[in-house]
Amino acid sequence: MLNQAPPTLGDRLASLVVHNRLTIVVFWLVLAVIASLFSPDWKSIAYDGDFEYLPASMPSVAGTRLLDQAFPTQRSRSQIVLVVARDSLRLTRADEAVSLDLLRHLYHRLAEVTLAKGDSLPQGRCYAMAREFLDAAIRVDELYFSALAELNATDAVSPDDLRITLAYWDRAQLLKQMGEPELAASDLEAATVLDLAIADHATPILDRPLDAWSTWIDMHSWQDSIIGSQFARPEARLAILMSDAELAATSNIGFLAAVEELRDTVLKRNAALVSPGLEILATGSAAIGGETLTAARDAIRYTEWLTVLMILAILGLVYRAPLLVVIPVVSIAVAIAVSSGLVAWLTVLSKWLDVGWFDFRVFTTSRIFVVVILFGAGTDFCLFLISRLREEAALAEWSQACRKSLAGVSSALVGSALTTIVGLAMLFIAQFGKFHYTGPIIALCLAIGLLVCLTFTPAMLALIGPKAFWPSMIRVESIPSKNLGNREGVRPTGLWGLIALRLTRHPWLALSLGIGLLVPPAWFGFRNENEVTYDISSQLDDSAESRRGLRILEKSFDIGAVNPTTILVSLPAAIEASSLRRAAKGLSESLYGRDGVLAVRSADDPLGDFPPDRAMGLLSTEAWKRRALKTHRAAQNYFFSDLPQHNGRLVRLDVVIDGDPFGIEAAGRVTELDDWLHKQTTDEASPFFGSQMFLTGTTPSIIDLRAITLSDNRRIKVAVVIAVFIALWVVIRRFSLCGYLIATVLLTYYATLGLTILFYRIAYGDGYVGLDWKLPLFLFVILVAVGQDYNVYLVTRIIEEQRERGGWLSALRRAVARTGGIITACGIVMAATFFSMTASAWLPGLLSLFGRPPDPNQASLRGIVELGFALGLGVMIDTFYVRTVLVPSFVAVMDRASSGPRLPRPPDDLDADSELA
């Protein structure tokens, strides 16, 4: 009697799952329901921002930290710029009236926000600022009413909207608190004249909710009596709303939505005055960041729905069996619910514990990767399991078939998932926070998806029985074993059998031609790998409101003036205030000689209007303006810190750089400026010898982001290749084959990148500025990791066939024939899920053909669209080319190299196994 081989881990798992199938199904379903009902909403826990996750050692981060410490009340990090314009023509008087209506409500709202946030400011300053904003609101309110009277349009606006009665009431209450009862009484009288019952319904100003306005800290507009001229042109007006949130912070979504809602209300209220051609657009860094995050959420929604629909369609075409469509979809839904819930709770727990080593964070865009990869990989897992079950069900009764199919594919599933999990987990070593957190989270979710597909899915199949294949009938005796490729081994037939036969008869030719066709696009991709853009505004398509506003802003104003670069100079020791001012003035004058410096804002020249070569008379209007500016709110406590630890030591300057703050030209100029500044700190003849200098702002942050992500790219690529190679070695145990599989996915990556660059150069035309900076790394990690799935499926089946029958060549032919169709289906599924990431670019237009009008304010996110296209293309190349041509031909070459002298080739109609007999 032959000794029976001991059961493997796959055998034990299969027996456990089939024996406890009902318990396993109930367990996962209950867990999914609990996770869905009680887990925190992803939106509520998502972190965002790019600059927030730069390493603390980066210069811009150190500068931002110093800025926050030294100027806690003057820390604008992003702005919403409201642009009022009319088709490059002069604004009409009616246009001005409409814009005044918007401005008066903004000033009033800012006063409310300032008082509500009073705990962050000294009370005296808080009251003074709130009063200044209320003064501005009432002054603009009077201008608005006068404009309506001039236009004979007072009847065109509702009587309740003609005046902001509440502003008078609020100022009256504030003046009482400030000890000015006479002025308070005057305002109170004005408020009651306008609304006799205001005392009965007016909510105290401190009780009004901040809601989405909480990050707003200040505003400058064309109606400011001192600095307003900077923001007014005959054809345009500006109002700059400053936020203390980073440009890509999630809070900017709500802030932008609140501003746009107020804008839309004003336009509706003044509909009788608004004529075609008037535009009031929100742009600026906070608007771009908010719109980018909103577009990302839209992309996630489109991707989720389209992914589900495509999975249902593909499964329906593959199986034509309703239950075989439902089972994988339910399995993946369970995996997404449980994994998302677990990650959400881990994120909340991490925030609550605040322990350095236990740190989980999710981002808005993390969700799209979780959904796409779980749907793609999860469906593939289910397809392979069901395909193997179909084979086994023709040879054994149902329970035994379920055990044998799970035992047969479990090692392949674990091995293929392991390469993806390990590859994604390698992002943990990234220094850039978004990479560092996102990779391990996706890997964890995929691990849970694998566990669901190894337990829940086979348990459901075991419970449902052969009727899972309805309307097809699966019986042991119903299908001749020769059609399935029996254990006795006749030559495989069909398309994949023919492909396997042809490839293995001419392996060197197939291998050479196969690699040769991929080399040209791969070389192009390798040469242009760093052709990426860090311009966040370019992520949005041209129809996005913030992009349209940016174009108008560029026509009439200097865009760099809206988003300057800040210089912080920290002296080694404190000096007298007068000496510090002289040093600051000298540095300011020196900066005007640097390339690309348009203006320098300093304590002596808060707006940068007076360069050293501009003559100015003592009694001129400019001299008066310059003196007034020094006491303006925009200059108070702005250029010198009044905190004891920085008093007499710290200088702040704002430099306006020529060019788009997000663009590469501005980045080059800021880099040169940074080099020059640091030379001043090492020059013993310089008054700033021994000082520390920091640059902060959008452009310096983008420079640091580029530096750290390029460094991460190099480190992570090496780590991912090593980790995936080790994972392959654990599964395959053949050094040369593992090395070759790694080489094929590297070739696929560079070829995909090259083809993607060519495609978008053509698609975008003159608007092409490079691919999104995140694309190369995510494409590399996902393709190298996910791209090995099908290789592992194929190679493990070759090994299994070789172990049972012997002979690499015959095993290769049987494995290709038996897995060709299902691997192709899996590749189509994975590619379709990745291509679904492009939906936001074309689905709204498609839906409009069926009567659903597109949302004019909805923009697609180019980065997600580009990545979805590249990933889908890469998977298609891997599925239909690498796995079909390059891998089988290499295995055949290995067989020939290891077999020594060969017998003459048999005719095609002989059994393939006879070749090795």
Side-chain angles (χ1 to χ4, degrees):
M1 182 176 179
L2 296 175
N3 293 328
Q4 189 173 4
T8 64
L9 287 176
D11 295 328
R12 295 191 183 98
L13 173 66
S15 297
L16 179 67
V17 169
V18 174
H19 184 264
N20 300 283
R21 50 189 177 271
L22 180 60
T23 303
I24 289 172
V25 168
V26 171
F27 169 79
W28 280 112
L29 289 176
V30 169
L31 198 60
V33 170
I34 293 173
S36 299
L37 294 178
F38 300 106
S39 297
D41 180 59
W42 194 285
K43 294 179 183 178
S44 67
I45 61 168
Y47 293 81
D48 266 297
D50 290 331
F51 305 151
E52 296 286 343
Y53 298 99
L54 291 170
S57 59
M58 300 304 289
S60 65
V61 177
T64 301
R65 189 165 56 243
L66 178 59
L67 190 67
D68 288 345
Q69 294 170 358
F71 303 95
T73 62
Q74 294 283 357
R75 59 185 189 279
S76 173
R77 294 182 180 173
S78 61
Q79 307 84 26
I80 291 179
V81 181
L82 284 171
V83 184
V84 183
R86 169 176 289 284
D87 297 338
S88 300
L89 302 174
R90 295 180 67 91
L91 293 170
T92 66
R93 184 61 171 150
D95 297 337
E96 293 177 355
V98 175
S99 61
L100 288 171
D101 188 13
L102 175 61
L103 193 60
R104 64 179 183 154
H105 283 282
L106 285 171
Y107 272 123
H108 185 222
R109 187 59 174 149
L110 182 54
E112 296 173 328
V113 173
T114 301
L115 285 175
K117 295 171 66 176
D119 55 348
S120 63
L121 293 169
Q123 187 182 70
R125 188 172 177 209
C126 174
Y127 284 177
M129 289 180 64
R131 179 177 178 177
E132 185 176 345
F133 297 139
L134 287 170
D135 290 345
I138 291 171
R139 176 169 53 81
V140 179
D141 177 71
E142 293 169 350
L143 292 173
Y144 173 66
F145 185 75
S146 298
L148 291 181
E150 181 183 332
L151 294 165
N152 295 317
T154 52
D155 294 337
V157 179
S158 167
D160 295 335
D161 296 323
L162 286 174
R163 309 302 296 268
I164 307 183
T165 308
L166 191 58
Y168 289 91
W169 175 267
D170 289 340
R171 192 169 70 172
Q173 309 309 311
L174 180 61
L175 288 170
K176 286 181 183 179
Q177 293 291 326
M178 297 178 71
E180 300 184 38
E182 295 83 3
L183 293 175
S186 175
D187 276 351
L188 187 60
E189 181 181 359
T192 52
V193 166
L194 293 169
D195 183 357
L196 291 174
I198 189 170
D200 298 329
H201 62 74
T203 305
I205 193 169
L206 292 178
D207 294 341
R208 295 171 204 163
L210 287 179
D211 298 328
W213 303 89
S214 61
T215 61
W216 192 14
I217 59 173
D218 204 348
M219 180 173 74
H220 298 319
S221 79
W222 73 92
Q223 277 297 322
D224 190 296
S225 58
I226 298 176
I227 66 174
S229 61
Q230 274 209 333
F231 311 116
R233 299 288 186 274
E235 73 281 2
R237 304 284 189 272
L238 297 185
I240 302 177
L241 287 63
M242 288 162 277
S243 168
D244 62 6
E246 194 241 287
L247 64 90
T250 51
S251 56
N252 281 336
I253 298 175
F255 185 26
L256 177 62
V259 171
E260 290 177 338
E261 182 181 5
L262 178 59
R263 183 266 317 273
D264 294 343
T265 301
V266 166
L267 290 174
K268 184 178 180 180
R269 181 164 56 233
N270 294 275
L273 299 176
V274 177
S275 57
L278 175 66
E279 290 190 291
I280 304 179
L281 302 174
T283 187
S285 55
I288 291 169
E291 202 166 10
T292 298
L293 292 171
T294 302
R297 289 186 176 180
D298 291 339
I300 292 169
R301 186 177 70 252
Y302 281 126
T303 298
E304 289 178 344
W305 282 107
L306 188 62
T307 297
V308 172
L309 291 176
M310 288 197 299
I311 294 296
L312 291 173
I314 293 170
L315 290 176
L317 289 173
V318 171
Y319 289 125
R320 296 182 293 278
L323 288 176
L324 293 186
V325 175
V326 171
I327 290 171
V329 172
V330 172
S331 299
I332 297 162
V334 168
I336 290 176
V338 174
S339 60
S340 298
L342 175 61
V343 167
W345 277 116
L346 288 174
T347 302
V348 172
L349 184 62
S350 168
K351 190 174 182 180
W352 180 68
L353 291 176
D354 194 22
V355 178
W357 59 269
F358 184 76
D359 195 7
F360 270 80
R361 300 192 185 192
V362 297
F363 303 94
T364 300
T365 50
S366 302
R367 174 81 180 180
I368 199 167
F369 290 109
V370 170
V371 170
V372 167
I373 290 179
L374 273 184
F375 260 104
T379 303
D380 287 356
F381 296 158
C382 294
L383 283 171
F384 268 88
L385 176 63
I386 293 170
S387 174
R388 190 60 175 264
L389 178 59
R390 187 191 292 270
E391 285 186 36
E392 300 295 344
L395 304 173
E397 60 87 22
W398 187 255
S399 293
Q400 185 181 0
C402 289
R403 290 189 183 92
K404 293 184 71 175
S405 59
L406 180 56
V409 300
S410 58
S411 61
L413 294 183
V414 171
S416 63
L418 184 63
T419 62
T420 307
I421 292 168
V422 169
L424 290 168
M426 284 299 101
L427 285 170
F428 179 79
I429 70 172
Q431 291 181 285
F432 179 53
K434 272 195 168 181
F435 294 161
H436 172 81
Y437 293 112
T438 299
I441 283 173
I442 301 173
L444 174 62
C445 292
L446 183 58
I448 293 172
L450 173 66
L451 188 59
V452 169
C453 293
L454 287 175
T455 56
F456 177 77
T457 307
M460 284 185 68
L461 289 167
L463 273 177
I464 295 172
K467 58 181 173 287
F469 288 87
W470 180 87
S472 298
M473 301 300 292
I474 300 294
R475 298 187 182 92
V476 174
E477 72 280 3
S478 66
I479 303 178
S481 60
K482 65 179 181 180
N483 293 334
L484 289 168
N486 59 30
R487 302 305 185 203
E488 304 304 321
V490 297
R491 179 167 60 90
T493 59
L495 174 64
W496 292 105
L498 181 62
I499 291 174
L501 189 63
R502 294 305 179 194
L503 282 174
T504 52
R505 287 198 176 278
H506 308 284
W508 278 110
L509 178 63
L511 187 63
S512 301
L513 289 177
I515 293 176
L517 288 176
L518 285 184
V519 166
W523 176 249
F524 182 77
F526 178 78
R527 290 290 301 272
N528 296 279
E529 187 174 12
N530 291 331
E531 188 181 287
V532 296
T533 178
Y534 287 77
D535 185 348
I536 299 174
S537 66
S538 69
Q539 286 290 292
L540 300 165
D541 56 42
D542 290 338
S543 65
E545 179 177 332
S546 59
R547 291 290 301 276
R548 291 186 285 127
L550 204 60
R551 289 194 293 272
I552 294 174
L553 187 63
E554 288 176 320
K555 289 180 182 179
S556 301
F557 298 90
D558 181 3
I559 190 173
V562 177
N563 204 336
T565 293
T566 296
I567 300 175
L568 291 174
V569 183
S570 179
L571 300 178
I575 60 176
E576 293 183 0
S578 58
S579 299
L580 189 63
R581 292 185 76 94
R582 283 195 300 271
K585 183 178 180 180
L587 179 59
S588 173
E589 292 175 351
S590 299
L591 287 168
Y592 274 102
R594 309 311 306 165
D595 177 49
V597 174
L598 299 180
V600 181
R601 299 171 184 170
S602 64
D604 278 354
D605 185 10
L607 290 184
D609 283 348
F610 303 99
D613 58 352
R614 181 177 178 183
M616 182 175 58
L618 182 62
L619 300 179
S620 67
T621 304
E622 289 84 359
W624 168 86
K625 180 181 177 182
R626 187 169 184 174
R627 288 193 297 272
L629 275 171
K630 293 180 181 180
T631 60
H632 189 271
R633 184 183 78 258
Q636 289 179 347
N637 302 310
Y638 187 89
F639 298 103
F640 302 106
S641 175
D642 57 0
L643 297 181
Q645 65 269 35
H646 299 294
N647 194 13
R649 295 185 56 189
L650 193 65
V651 176
R652 175 179 180 176
L653 302 174
D654 283 351
V655 181
V656 178
I657 301 294
D658 186 19
D660 184 351
F662 297 99
I664 192 68
E665 294 84 2
R669 294 184 177 115
V670 170
T671 300
E672 292 177 3
L673 177 62
D674 188 38
D675 293 340
W676 180 82
L677 287 170
H678 280 86
K679 287 179 181 177
Q680 309 308 304
T681 65
T682 57
D683 183 358
E684 295 184 1
S686 169
F688 300 101
F689 175 69
S691 301
Q692 289 183 300
M693 294 201 184
F694 302 94
L695 293 180
T696 69
T698 299
T699 307
S701 295
I702 288 175
I703 292 170
D704 283 351
L705 180 64
R706 182 181 182 87
I708 198 64
T709 51
L710 289 178
S711 173
D712 277 344
N713 283 358
R714 291 188 292 269
R715 296 167 60 248
I716 289 171
K717 284 177 181 177
V718 174
V720 168
V721 167
I722 294 174
V724 172
F725 180 87
I726 293 172
L728 287 173
W729 170 255
V730 169
V731 176
I732 299 174
R733 300 297 179 94
R734 284 162 177 81
F735 186 87
S736 58
L737 183 55
C738 292
Y740 177 75
L741 294 181
I742 291 290
T744 60
V745 292
L746 291 176
L747 187 64
T748 302
Y749 161 72
Y750 283 112
T752 302
L753 186 61
L755 293 172
T756 301
I757 292 172
L758 286 173
F759 176 82
Y760 281 105
R761 278 185 178 180
I762 297 170
Y764 293 155
D766 293 338
Y768 178 77
V769 292
L771 298 176
D772 177 50
W773 58 274
K774 296 181 288 294
L775 186 147
L777 181 64
F778 278 117
L779 178 65
F780 181 88
V781 172
I782 294 174
L783 270 191
V784 171
V786 174
Q788 295 295 356
D789 280 8
Y790 311 129
N791 292 335
V792 170
Y793 292 143
L794 176 60
V795 172
T796 52
R797 187 60 182 260
I798 294 171
I799 294 171
E800 180 183 345
E801 295 287 345
Q802 192 268 347
R803 184 170 55 243
E804 293 183 1
R805 294 292 316 283
W808 271 102
L809 195 58
S810 57
L812 168 64
R813 290 174 174 173
R814 290 193 301 273
V816 170
R818 291 171 177 171
T819 63
I822 195 62
I823 289 180
T824 301
C826 289
I828 292 173
V829 166
M830 183 66 81
T833 58
F834 284 138
F835 279 130
S836 70
M837 294 169 66
T838 68
S840 61
W842 53 268
L843 188 57
L846 181 63
L847 293 176
S848 67
L849 299 177
F850 297 92
R852 178 181 173 180
D855 183 355
N857 295 321
Q858 183 172 294
S860 65
L861 199 59
R862 282 187 174 183
I864 290 178
V865 172
E866 291 168 358
L867 181 58
F869 174 85
L871 286 169
L873 177 62
V875 170
M876 295 292 281
I877 292 173
D878 190 75
T879 302
F880 288 99
Y881 196 76
V882 174
R883 195 271 312 162
T884 304
V885 177
L886 299 187
V887 174
S889 59
F890 180 78
V891 173
V893 167
M894 285 179 58
D895 172 74
R896 293 201 173 195
S898 62
S899 299
R902 305 189 58 80
L903 298 173
R905 188 177 66 186
D908 288 352
D909 60 346
L910 294 182
D911 185 348
D913 291 320
S914 66
E915 247 187 274
L916 302 176

